[in-house]
Amino acid sequence: MGIATGTVVAGKVQLDGVALPEGCVVTVLTPDSTGEVFLDAEDEIALLEAVAEAERGETISPEELFARLAKRSKQ
């Protein structure tokens, strides 16, 4: 797995310097309202670990996610 940067052109994402096979499934992370996202090394590792967990099927249901988010917002 890797991380690639691209640009949206005519409604489609064009990756810079990366060729993926036709039909390849990708995940797109969109920036916040400032238009930029910066990860330090620790956050990048955590993100890559989370993506790997999801690829292995180690996920939670949407209901569990929303319950956890609601719990955090009350703290």
Side-chain angles (χ1 to χ4, degrees):
M1 177 178 41
I3 296 176
T5 301
T7 306
V8 177
V9 177
K12 297 180 180 181
V13 177
Q14 292 184 346
L15 299 178
D16 302 330
V18 177
L20 299 173
E22 188 68 28
C24 181
V25 176
V26 299
T27 300
V28 176
L29 305 174
T30 59
D32 63 13
S33 60
T34 64
E36 296 181 358
V37 175
F38 296 98
L39 299 177
D40 60 24
E42 183 178 325
D43 287 339
E44 183 177 351
I45 289 168
L47 174 61
L48 292 174
E49 288 174 354
V51 170
E53 287 174 1
E55 288 176 342
R56 291 189 303 266
E58 298 171 8
T59 60
I60 61 174
S61 68
E63 293 80 13
E64 176 65 19
L65 172 64
F66 292 125
R68 289 182 187 185
L69 291 173
K71 186 176 180 180
R72 283 188 179 187
S73 69
K74 294 178 183 178
Q75 295 177 351

